[in-house]
Amino acid sequence: MTLKDLARELGVSTATISNAFNRPDQLSPGLRERILAEAKRLGYRGPDAKARSLRTGRSRIIAVILAESLTYSLNDAVSSEFLSGVAEVLDSQGHTLLLLSARQVNCQLVDSASMADGFIVYGLMPSAELFDSLPLHAALVAVDFNVAGHPSIHVDNEPSCFEIADHALSVAPRKRPAIVNLRLTAEPCNGRIDPQHTLLSAELTITRSRLAGFHAALEKHDFDLERIPMWNVEENTFEVCAPVIEEILDLPDAERPDLLLCMSDRIALTALTLAEQRGLRIPDDLCLIGFDGIAEGQYRAPRLTTVRQESSEKGRLAARMILGLEPSHSRLLTTEMMLGETCS
Amino acid sequence: MTLKDLARELGVSTATISNAFNRPDQLSPGLRERILAEAKRLGYRGPDAKARSLRTGRSRIIAVILAESLTYSLNDAVSSEFLSGVAEVLDSQGHTLLLLSARQVNCQLVDSASMADGFIVYGLMPSAELFDSLPLHAALVAVDFNVAGHPSIHVDNEPSCFEIADHALSVAPRKRPAIVNLRLTAEPCNGRIDPQHTLLSAELTITRSRLAGFHAALEKHDFDLERIPMWNVEENTFEVCAPVIEEILDLPDAERPDLLLCMSDRIALTALTLAEQRGLRIPDDLCLIGFDGIAEGQYRAPRLTTVRQESSEKGRLAARMILGLEPSHSRLLTTEMMLGETCS
DNA sequence: TTGTAGGCGTTATCAT
DNA sequence: ATGATAACGCCTACAA
């Protein structure tokens, strides 16, 4: 049952049917009503989206390209909060959300790409190859990294990390601070970072800015950065964090850090869980700070001391930009310190 | 730059270009190579998805229609785990995921619907109106409810709830068990359920089956169902659960339940957090059981005693069915008891 | 207010 | 192995 069939059936032209669905003001209300009623009766579901999108050039689909796998992105509190912000706005504007991953088999991404009216690229910089595969003049907003010629959305990682680390170091004297980084090394490394490792550049990852903030605070408190141990985790999940955290917690008492500056709440929560299992007192034996402000860190006791970033607002902003509801220039979102009980 | 432009540019026919991209065996390797090279040089990104989908009738897009809002679904551990299972399979099969919500402004859903090759409908029964708007013979899989003429995927809610409640009642004698339901009343009710309330039918919600399981176990242990207090929460989030749980925990000692049979882990975890804040001992003062087996309940101390449903497997199965990788008949997935420390 | 016709960019069926 | 051509279903000037 197509529009043309319906037109023939009703003895009117295809244009009239089209107008009945898309431009009510272009025909008499009576006729329109009759058309809609007959359409329903005959089982015509309205204009076909595939054909309509070809004809108009727009699909009302916005694609979000995620740096991580879909599986990870949907389970991670931060990225799913981001997505929910995006979804909320798209939804209210009559658009729909297509989820793509930069990790996808390449051809699929390319294939589906030309379907979307715009792209929100979230997370790390995707490969140049992937970038080239996007429609040339596509609307595009980058989140948490920069793309030449397109607006981006960032969070003030460095100052907020400075501020929270400074707080942690001020609230009680600490002997052995350490840093647990998130995907910071050029080569995969799920454990201690030693001098041989090379770190990703600030262009490629926001965690570099977080590190800079931590470092600045440590220097302010007269620590020698060379002597601050650093670990790295490859993925922001309990399973991947746990072995690294265990390695840290199982150090001899004299070496075990008494302050962990963690680049994410997930890392800090993993440390919290494992430390509790070992009978360490929080914050006396071990002080923890996180980053993100995810709900899970606040709906427990002790609550995480952390930096809250408004991921859903980030998503809403990205969506509004891509839909042209917001001026298309880069934005920097602020964060908020959340003082829980893991560091007091 | 379209396929036709490229054909003209290279002095070959459009069919040949199309074949170069889609059916390598239909032309000489040399020509194909030249075409691909020239395409890249001239900035032709390959066949346009909109046009291709119109022509072939397939978009390689699978839509998931969620009963709840996208915002809720993306933040809830259970549904996002389901989605990640779906995404995993679609991804590996070169398909892509379109997220729709039954709560969406109606017309948008209808509009986008005809774009998808198939539908996975998740959660409660959507309105008949919505259903009618889907393409007539569309591939469709229902998850957690039934649709005539289409396969569905269920979890064994009733037996597993019987088993876990039976366990809870067996492990230590309890005087005052109570049930905390999830969206079970016909009229919204975020608080105590009293006899006036009417409950949704089993057709409309799986929580009815969970209740039946709890009831069976209570009867086995000689409780009078009339005397078992029930509460209801309207949404599976901390914010919405909290006031209801507070109402329960703040009852006078003699009335406060000593066992809460909760229909979800989120509800049980909310109770756990709030009980801990009040200094109640778990499980001595209050025993808790949940449902779902979400990670958050297991990465903490005490761990939740609960029923684990494999949401991601549910998603994978739904996706495989919709892609025809799995026979299209209804399936019932089993669950697993997880014995944590909240009920021992 | 309604009808006509061209084309959106492909792919598939034929021929050659 | 390659080319010509007719759809796919719709939208929108433009004409009536």
Side-chain angles (χ1 to χ4, degrees):
Chain A
M1 194 72 194
T2 73
L3 184 150
K4 200 188 285 182
D5 297 334
L6 185 59
R8 193 170 355 87
E9 206 69 41
L10 293 188
V12 300
S13 89
T14 60
T16 303
I17 308 280
S18 176
N19 284 333
F21 281 95
N22 300 312
R23 301 149 65 158
D25 52 315
Q26 296 294 301
L27 77 177
S28 63
L31 178 56
R32 179 173 135 90
E33 205 150 315
R34 186 167 74 92
I35 290 176
L36 262 36
E38 285 296 287
K40 176 165 284 180
R41 197 177 63 76
L42 297 170
Y44 176 67
R45 265 80 172 120
D48 176 76
K50 297 195 195 58
R52 182 215 285 266
S53 71
L54 172 59
R55 178 57 234 229
T56 62
R58 293 183 317 107
S59 57
R60 302 183 83 75
I61 289 176
I62 298 293
V64 174
I65 302 180
L66 299 150
E68 304 295 322
S69 71
L70 295 183
T71 300
Y72 170 84
S73 303
L74 287 165
N75 282 321
D76 177 64
V78 180
S79 53
S80 63
E81 209 186 293
F82 172 80
L83 286 173
S84 86
V86 172
E88 181 187 323
V89 171
L90 294 187
D91 213 30
S92 73
Q93 300 297 315
H95 285 249
T96 77
L97 175 58
L98 186 70
L99 251 30
L100 301 174
S101 165
R103 298 276 179 88
Q104 238 164 342
V105 198
N106 215 300
C107 61
Q108 270 75 35
L109 208 172
V110 179
D111 282 6
S112 324
S114 45
M115 192 96 248
D117 293 343
F119 299 86
I120 295 173
V121 190
Y122 179 78
L124 311 185
M125 170 77 85
S127 67
E129 188 185 16
L130 187 157
F131 238 86
D132 292 342
S133 78
L134 300 182
L136 208 48
H137 295 298
L140 190 155
V141 173
V143 178
D144 283 348
F145 72 101
N146 295 313
V147 183
H150 294 280
S152 60
I153 299 175
H154 279 281
V155 153
D156 59 353
N157 289 290
E158 181 167 343
S160 59
C161 280
F162 170 80
E163 193 184 5
I164 190 105
D166 182 37
H167 166 81
L169 293 165
S170 303
V171 74
R174 293 289 165 179
K175 301 267 190 239
R176 294 179 303 280
I179 299 174
V180 189
N181 297 287
L182 179 56
R183 218 180 295 94
L184 185 67
T185 55
E187 303 296 310
C189 158
N190 208 53
R192 181 83 180 252
I193 299 181
D194 50 47
Q196 286 97 305
H197 285 102
T198 58
L199 307 188
L200 291 173
S201 75
E203 309 272 294
L204 294 176
T205 171
I206 49 168
T207 56
R208 197 63 194 261
S209 318
R210 294 191 190 165
L211 179 60
F214 288 159
H215 274 171
L218 287 164
E219 281 189 320
K220 177 183 165 192
H221 288 266
D222 297 324
F223 282 96
D224 177 2
L225 296 188
E226 303 283 319
R227 297 185 168 281
I228 302 290
M230 301 215 296
W231 280 264
N232 187 63
V233 299
E234 279 299 318
E235 192 179 75
N236 198 38
T237 59
F238 181 89
E239 290 78 2
V240 174
C241 290
V244 178
I245 299 294
E246 283 171 347
E247 178 183 323
I248 298 173
L249 297 182
D250 292 340
L251 286 170
D253 279 11
E255 289 176 42
R256 179 164 25 77
D258 56 358
L259 166 61
L260 287 183
L261 303 171
C262 303
M263 287 208 179
S264 76
D265 280 1
R266 173 56 55 213
I267 298 173
L269 284 169
T270 302
L272 187 49
T273 300
L274 296 177
E276 282 173 343
Q277 280 178 12
R278 282 163 174 69
L280 294 175
R281 291 165 307 158
I282 310 289
D284 298 335
D285 297 332
L286 179 65
C287 168
L288 293 168
I289 68 160
F291 195 102
D292 289 332
I294 67 177
E296 190 180 335
Q298 304 305 312
Y299 298 154
R300 57 150 16 258
R303 287 171 305 184
L304 222 47
T305 293
T306 187
V307 172
R308 165 141 192 81
Q309 64 164 321
E310 293 286 341
S311 280
S312 55
E313 179 53 29
K314 209 153 77 169
R316 282 191 291 265
L317 184 57
R320 286 201 304 267
M321 265 192 199
I322 212 73
L323 296 180
L325 271 47
E326 193 88 20
S328 274
H329 60 248
S330 296
R331 296 277 293 267
L332 180 66
L333 298 180
T334 59
T335 54
E336 183 193 357
M337 273 228 287
M338 304 189 75
L339 302 181
E341 293 83 33
T342 58
C343 189
S344 52
Chain B
M1 193 73 193
T2 74
L3 184 149
K4 201 188 282 182
D5 297 334
L6 186 59
R8 195 171 353 87
E9 207 68 43
L10 293 186
V12 299
S13 89
T14 62
T16 304
I17 306 279
S18 177
N19 285 332
F21 281 94
N22 301 311
R23 303 150 65 159
D25 53 314
Q26 295 295 300
L27 76 177
S28 61
L31 179 55
R32 177 173 137 89
E33 205 150 316
R34 187 167 75 93
I35 290 177
L36 262 36
E38 284 297 285
K40 177 164 281 179
R41 196 176 66 75
L42 296 171
Y44 176 67
R45 264 92 167 110
D48 176 77
K50 297 195 197 51
R52 180 214 286 266
S53 71
L54 172 59
R55 180 57 234 229
T56 63
R58 295 184 313 110
S59 58
R60 302 182 82 75
I61 289 176
I62 299 293
V64 174
I65 302 180
L66 298 151
E68 304 295 322
S69 71
L70 295 183
T71 299
Y72 171 83
S73 304
L74 287 166
N75 283 320
D76 177 64
V78 180
S79 54
S80 64
E81 208 186 294
F82 172 81
L83 286 173
S84 87
V86 173
E88 183 186 322
V89 172
L90 294 187
D91 213 31
S92 73
Q93 301 298 316
H95 283 248
T96 163
L97 174 59
L98 186 70
L99 251 30
L100 300 174
S101 165
R103 298 275 178 88
Q104 238 164 344
V105 197
N106 216 301
C107 60
Q108 270 75 35
L109 210 173
V110 179
D111 281 6
S112 323
S114 46
M115 192 94 249
D117 294 341
F119 298 86
I120 296 172
V121 191
Y122 179 78
L124 310 187
M125 170 77 85
S127 65
E129 188 184 16
L130 186 158
F131 239 86
D132 292 342
S133 78
L134 300 182
L136 207 48
H137 295 298
L140 190 154
V141 173
V143 178
D144 283 348
F145 72 101
N146 296 314
V147 183
H150 295 280
S152 60
I153 298 175
H154 279 280
V155 152
D156 59 352
N157 289 291
E158 181 167 344
S160 58
C161 280
F162 170 81
E163 193 184 7
I164 191 105
D166 182 36
H167 166 82
L169 293 164
S170 303
V171 74
R174 294 287 165 180
K175 300 265 189 244
R176 296 179 302 280
I179 298 175
V180 189
N181 297 287
L182 179 56
R183 219 181 292 96
L184 185 67
T185 55
E187 302 295 310
C189 157
N190 208 53
R192 180 85 181 250
I193 299 181
D194 51 47
Q196 286 98 305
H197 285 104
T198 59
L199 307 187
L200 291 174
S201 76
E203 309 272 294
L204 294 175
T205 171
I206 49 168
T207 57
R208 198 62 195 263
S209 319
R210 295 191 189 165
L211 180 60
F214 289 158
H215 274 170
L218 288 164
E219 281 189 320
K220 175 183 166 193
H221 289 265
D222 297 324
F223 283 95
D224 178 3
L225 295 187
E226 303 282 319
R227 297 185 168 279
I228 302 289
M230 300 216 296
W231 280 265
N232 186 63
V233 299
E234 279 298 318
E235 192 180 74
N236 198 36
T237 58
F238 181 88
E239 290 78 0
V240 174
C241 290
V244 178
I245 299 295
E246 283 170 347
E247 178 183 322
I248 298 173
L249 297 182
D250 292 339
L251 286 170
D253 280 9
E255 287 176 43
R256 179 162 28 77
D258 57 359
L259 166 61
L260 287 183
L261 303 171
C262 304
M263 288 209 178
S264 76
D265 281 0
R266 173 54 56 213
I267 298 172
L269 283 169
T270 303
L272 187 49
T273 300
L274 297 176
E276 282 173 343
Q277 281 178 14
R278 283 161 174 71
L280 294 176
R281 290 165 309 157
I282 310 291
D284 298 336
D285 298 332
L286 179 65
C287 169
L288 292 168
I289 68 159
F291 195 103
D292 289 333
I294 66 177
E296 190 180 337
Q298 304 305 313
Y299 297 155
R300 55 142 30 251
R303 286 170 305 182
L304 223 47
T305 292
T306 187
V307 172
R308 164 140 193 81
Q309 64 165 321
E310 293 285 342
S311 281
S312 55
E313 180 53 30
K314 207 153 77 170
R316 283 189 290 266
L317 183 57
R320 285 200 304 267
M321 264 193 199
I322 212 73
L323 295 181
L325 272 45
E326 194 90 21
S328 276
H329 61 247
S330 295
R331 296 277 293 268
L332 181 66
L333 298 180
T334 59
T335 55
E336 182 193 358
M337 273 228 287
M338 303 189 76
L339 302 181
E341 294 83 34
T342 59
C343 190
S344 53

